Amino acid sequence: MASLTPKQALFNIIEVIQGPPTEPIHYRISVGTSVKYLTGPKPLSGLPDGSGEYLGFDTVPVGDWDVGNLAVGTDGKFALVSTEKRRFPDLTPTWHGSRIDLLELGDPVESHEDYELQLRAYIPSGPYPGPAGFGAATVLAFWNTDLEGVDSHALAQECRIYSLLQHKSIAPRFLAHLADNHDRVIGYVLESVPARNAGIDDIDLCRKVLQELHSLNIVHGNLSRDAFLVREDTHVAQLQFFHMSREAADQASLDEEMSKLEEVLQEPLPKPHSGETSDELTAVQARDGYIHPVLFWQLKHDGRISISQDDHRSLLAELEEKGWRYTKEDVEGVAKRLRENGGRLP
């Protein structure tokens, strides 16, 4: 590891990567035109420290380093104790000829209904002005800042599926890989399309695009109404949300998915969240130090959070015993337990 140098520079916090209360916290910072990370053993607060309140310094060493290691100082705040050069793994396969750095996208554009239909709930994403040469006024960026690449399967799988759909009209265009610090690939950029969610009246359009996907022996794996986009400019249907898609699917799997199409298109769309949702989640995070994923399930399916404080803390204790790892099936199982017991844990 390199020792601290006397020459210092100011930095800005881009974002804070904070997971379970027992896992490391990472500050993603910009120093001039470079991106670096400050890593602490665990958070000092249940809320992400976006303002740097728990950092006991406002400058960092100038030099060729990627990671600054933090330790709690005598003042109860993080102190920078060492720096090191470390190359983190790419989070997606790299197959496209274009790439752009996340910071080069500039500031996000104002939210719009079209963008919201294509953004993901399971990874960071946002709308940005279309860079020159991309042929789009607005683009959508999707990324993860998972440093070691252990929690980026969904991102990687979706990127892999897009490589099989390139030059086809099955999905919105994949425009470029998204890089961090002009080096590590952390996501991708898609075109934003004028569209609406599909309904039962669009079944012929949806069947056609699903057949096109199946002709490549790919099963979508997560079919829902919001997985279909009905383009308002070309009047065709496209698919999205490929994080659970599978290649080399057998015919039985393809037939089963197609047989569910009519049922899927009659399902209600996820309920919109109220304007107070963000404040409520922030309060839960501050109170309990973490948000159990079943709360996001409740917001999607019920439009509100109904779990009690005691039950939420009990679920967090269960999650901690599992090393803070969970699957979609785990979350659905918890939701089922709550619903079968009148919204409370048995």
Side-chain angles (χ1 to χ4, degrees):
M1 296 184 180
S3 60
L4 299 183
T5 59
K7 190 174 182 182
Q8 304 280 309
L10 295 171
F11 64 89
N12 293 310
I13 297 175
I14 304 171
E15 64 179 317
V16 178
I17 309 162
Q18 181 171 324
T22 57
E23 292 191 358
I25 181 174
H26 307 283
Y27 294 82
R28 185 166 176 264
I29 65 172
S30 62
V31 185
T33 58
S34 297
V35 173
K36 302 179 186 294
Y37 292 87
L38 303 173
T39 299
K42 64 179 182 179
L44 297 182
S45 167
L47 291 176
D49 183 24
S51 65
E53 177 183 354
Y54 294 100
L55 295 178
F57 54 93
D58 56 12
T59 62
V60 294
V62 173
D64 186 21
W65 58 274
D66 299 307
V67 177
N69 297 297
L70 304 175
V72 180
T74 56
D75 59 356
K77 295 186 175 184
F78 283 127
L80 181 59
V81 295
S82 64
T83 62
E84 62 180 291
K85 184 73 177 173
R86 189 195 312 174
R87 209 282 184 181
F88 296 107
D90 291 334
L91 299 185
T92 74
T94 53
W95 54 270
H96 197 277
S98 299
R99 71 168 60 189
I100 187 169
D101 196 80
L102 179 56
L103 292 185
E104 290 178 346
L105 290 177
D107 295 325
V109 301
E110 186 176 349
S111 184
H112 185 276
E113 184 178 356
D114 286 345
Y115 313 148
E116 297 297 329
L117 293 182
Q118 290 181 256
L119 299 179
R120 313 290 194 259
Y122 48 89
I123 53 173
S125 55
Y128 292 86
F134 275 45
T138 305
V139 299
L140 303 176
F142 306 86
W143 70 94
N144 201 341
T145 41
D146 169 23
L147 297 187
E148 301 299 340
V150 296
D151 294 317
S152 295
H153 172 76
L155 190 79
Q157 180 63 6
E158 190 153 48
C159 183
R160 188 176 296 107
I161 295 298
Y162 271 107
S163 73
L164 304 176
L165 305 182
Q166 190 71 346
H167 307 305
K168 300 183 183 298
S169 60
I170 294 174
R173 286 184 300 143
F174 186 106
L175 300 175
H177 294 296
L178 192 63
D180 187 29
N181 218 20
H182 303 280
D183 179 22
R184 176 183 184 233
V185 175
I186 60 171
Y188 44 82
V189 178
L190 302 180
E191 69 172 333
S192 170
V193 300
R196 58 175 174 80
N197 285 133
I200 190 61
D201 293 339
D202 305 301
I203 190 168
D204 291 337
L205 294 176
C206 296
R207 182 182 292 111
K208 180 179 179 181
V209 69
L210 190 58
Q211 286 173 338
E212 292 177 18
L213 183 72
H214 287 178
S215 71
L216 301 175
N217 289 326
I218 299 172
V219 65
H220 186 276
N222 189 35
L223 217 55
S224 60
R225 276 186 65 186
D226 53 356
F228 290 96
L229 295 170
V230 178
R231 297 275 297 256
E232 295 176 349
D233 52 350
T234 59
H235 306 292
V236 301
Q238 291 186 312
L239 283 162
Q240 59 177 353
F241 305 159
F242 297 106
H243 56 290
M244 296 179 66
S245 298
R246 303 194 314 273
E247 307 156 57
D250 58 83
Q251 190 60 46
S253 297
L254 300 175
D255 291 344
E256 180 183 7
E257 184 167 72
M258 184 62 75
S259 71
K260 295 179 178 178
L261 179 60
E262 183 174 351
E263 177 185 347
V264 163
L265 293 177
Q266 295 184 83
E267 292 176 350
L269 288 167
K271 295 182 180 180
H273 302 168
S274 71
E276 299 176 353
T277 294
S278 179
D279 290 342
E280 189 172 4
L281 289 173
T282 298
V284 171
Q285 174 90 23
R287 183 192 72 204
D288 298 339
Y290 195 60
I291 299 173
H292 193 282
V294 78
L295 270 65
F296 297 103
W297 189 98
Q298 288 187 332
L299 285 172
K300 178 178 179 180
H301 294 86
D302 302 334
R304 64 188 182 92
I305 296 171
S306 58
I307 191 170
S308 70
Q309 175 178 322
D310 288 343
D311 283 346
H312 183 252
R313 289 178 172 174
S314 295
L315 290 175
L316 289 182
E318 292 179 8
L319 201 57
E320 184 174 14
E321 290 178 359
K322 296 180 179 180
W324 302 100
R325 304 294 181 187
Y326 60 88
T327 65
K328 178 183 177 184
E329 289 72 25
D330 292 334
V331 177
E332 291 175 345
V334 170
K336 183 179 179 181
R337 286 163 57 194
L338 290 169
R339 284 192 163 181
E340 289 178 345
N341 290 276
R344 300 297 298 258
L345 289 178

